[in-house]
């Protein structure tokens, strides 16, 4: 568990002195025109993300996070050995009205960002939201991610946690209903920021425990990082290791076994019903195989004029007792 608490006075966010700087080839551009962004003083080999953002000001930063930026037209660039870069960026109209800036920020390592004003011809302009007093918030204790996975998460449901942290008001004015920016990032990708408002008032010199819900997309797994930002100042980062949804893998393995087995059984049942059977009408019985001949039944033929009861016997009254001799009467 790692946390980073940054007081408002020490954030490396602006190009002052020897700090990272960004210049533009033009201060005003038409919609869709190319603008060359040049930087110096950055870390050698640093991966940077370049975005055109609305509702922004170099002094106050990108209000609303990257939801105010033209994210689809962003560009990535890596600084050279001297910490410099040059990249062509399209002046795409952001989803929020101007004032607009070119927002350059590191993707990995120590968070560093620089905002440079850019006017976009034809894009709407609106006043920035009022800044509430002189309240300044800082994280006072190490944040933590509460919660755990469930059976549904094991089968691909969106992982969810609750970011719990304690902030203190270091300013001279109360902070009412502060709006935090909560971002999640994976690998080398920049955080995707979302506005989260906390209902309550933090008086000067007071502190409060704040809980914000964090949810990833369905099936997410791997090493993620949760970032917390307020008034352009990064307050904390927290790693989040998300396990692989093995239930989905098990489901597909079972599917690969059960479906072929079911298809095989259905096919065998169909074959068993349509194959010819012995004894059906129009189908000759199968020839008997070799084997011993069956025993033949013995019957006695009976003449129609002779029955066993009419056969003469020697005790019959009409039969002479003595032997008959041919020629005797």
């Amino acid at each position: 568990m790692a946390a980073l608490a940054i007081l408002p006075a020490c954030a490396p966010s602006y190009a002052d002195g020897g700090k990272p700087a960004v210049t533009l080839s033009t201060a005003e551009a038409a919609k869709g025109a190319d603008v060359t962004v040049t930087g110096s003083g950055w870390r050698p080999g640093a991966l940077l993300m370049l975005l055109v953002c609305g509702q922004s000001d170099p002094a106050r930063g990108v209000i609303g996070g990257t939801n105010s930026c033209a994210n689809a037209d962003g560009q990535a660039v890596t600084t050279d050995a001297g910490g410099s870069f040059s990249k062509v960026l399209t002046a795409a109209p952001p989803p929020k009205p101007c004032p607009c800036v070119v927002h350059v920020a590191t993707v990995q390592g120590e968070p560093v960002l620089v905002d440079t004003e850019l006017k976009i011809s034809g894009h709407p302009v609106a006043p920035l939201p009022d800044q509430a007093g002189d309240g300044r918030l800082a994280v006072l204790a190490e944040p933590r991610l509460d919660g755990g996975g469930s059976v549904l998460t094991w089968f691909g449901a969106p992982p969810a946690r609750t970011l719990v942290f304690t902030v203190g008001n270091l300013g001279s004015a109360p902070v009412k209903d502060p709006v935090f920016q909560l971002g999640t990032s994976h690998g080398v990708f920049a955080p995707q920021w979302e506005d989260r408002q906390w209902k309550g008032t933090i008086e000067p010199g007071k502190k409060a425990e704040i809980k914000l819900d964090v949810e990833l997309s369905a099936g997410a797994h791997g090493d993620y990082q949760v970032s917390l930002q307020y008034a352009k100042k990064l307050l904390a980062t927290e790693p989040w290791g998300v396990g692989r949804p093995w239930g989905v893998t098990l489901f597909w393995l079972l599917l690969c076994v059960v479906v072929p087995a079911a298809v095989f059984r259905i096919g065998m049942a169909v074959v068993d019903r349509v194959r010819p059977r012995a004894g059906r009408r129009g189908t000759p019985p199968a020839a008997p195989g070799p084997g011993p001949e069956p025993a033949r039944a013995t019957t006695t033929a009976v003449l129609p004029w002779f029955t066993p009861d009419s056969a003469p016997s020697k005790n019959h009254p009409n039969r002479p007792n003595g032997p008959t001799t041919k020629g005797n009467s």
Side-chain angles (χ1 to χ4, degrees):
M1 304 288 282
L4 175 62
I6 301 178
L7 297 182
C10 61
S13 301
Y14 303 100
D16 295 329
K19 293 183 179 180
V22 172
T23 58
L24 307 179
S25 60
T26 178
E28 184 174 357
K31 293 181 180 179
D34 290 339
V35 178
T36 301
V37 184
T38 305
S40 61
W42 296 80
R43 293 194 308 266
L47 179 61
L48 308 178
M49 179 62 70
L50 284 64
L51 297 170
V52 176
C53 303
Q55 193 175 275
S56 307
D57 181 78
R60 294 180 58 182
V62 180
I63 301 173
T66 53
N67 291 332
S68 303
C69 305
N71 295 300
D73 297 284
Q75 294 288 341
V77 65
T78 302
T79 60
D80 57 22
S84 302
F85 71 89
S86 180
K87 188 71 174 180
V88 175
L89 179 66
T90 302
K96 298 290 185 179
C98 286
C100 298
V101 299
V102 172
H103 178 77
V104 182
T106 54
V107 176
Q108 293 177 309
E110 181 186 5
V112 181
L113 57 93
V114 174
D115 293 327
T116 306
E117 185 177 1
L118 173 67
K119 295 181 180 180
I120 301 178
S121 303
H123 193 62
V125 179
L128 295 176
D130 294 334
Q131 194 168 12
D134 191 25
R136 296 180 301 170
L137 299 181
V139 173
L140 302 180
E142 182 178 356
R144 68 180 187 274
L145 286 172
D146 285 352
S150 64
V151 177
L152 295 179
T153 305
W154 203 65
F155 282 94
R161 296 288 188 275
T162 301
L163 180 66
V164 182
F165 57 97
T166 302
V167 296
N169 186 355
L170 306 181
S172 58
V175 177
K176 183 179 180 181
D177 299 337
V179 178
F180 296 92
Q181 285 77 48
L182 198 62
T184 56
S185 58
H186 180 54
V188 300
F189 296 99
Q192 298 296 317
W193 299 98
E194 295 182 4
D195 289 346
R196 298 293 181 85
Q197 187 174 35
W198 180 77
K199 293 293 186 179
T201 301
I202 306 175
E203 299 292 339
K206 300 297 183 178
K207 62 181 180 179
E209 184 181 70
I210 298 177
K211 298 180 180 180
L212 301 177
D213 293 332
V214 188
E215 185 177 276
L216 302 178
S217 59
H221 63 276
D223 294 328
Y224 285 79
Q225 181 171 273
V226 180
S227 302
L228 178 68
Q229 186 174 268
Y230 176 74
K232 196 187 176 181
K233 303 299 187 294
L234 185 67
L235 300 182
T237 59
E238 191 71 13
W240 182 6
V242 183
R244 183 180 293 273
W246 290 109
V248 178
T249 305
L250 179 61
F251 170 79
W252 285 110
L253 289 176
L254 292 176
L255 194 65
C256 292
V257 173
V258 173
V259 171
V263 172
F264 176 78
R265 290 177 63 90
I266 294 174
M268 293 302 296
V270 172
V271 170
D272 186 63
R273 291 183 63 88
V274 302
R275 69 173 181 171
R277 294 181 179 273
R280 287 189 176 182
R281 184 173 12 177
T283 304
E293 293 186 3
R296 295 181 179 178
T298 304
T299 58
T300 303
V302 179
L303 299 177
W305 61 84
F306 178 80
T307 61
D309 292 339
S310 61
S313 64
K314 66 182 196 175
N315 296 326
H316 197 276
N318 296 327
R319 182 179 178 177
N321 295 330
T324 58
T325 304
K326 185 178 180 180
N328 293 339
S329 54

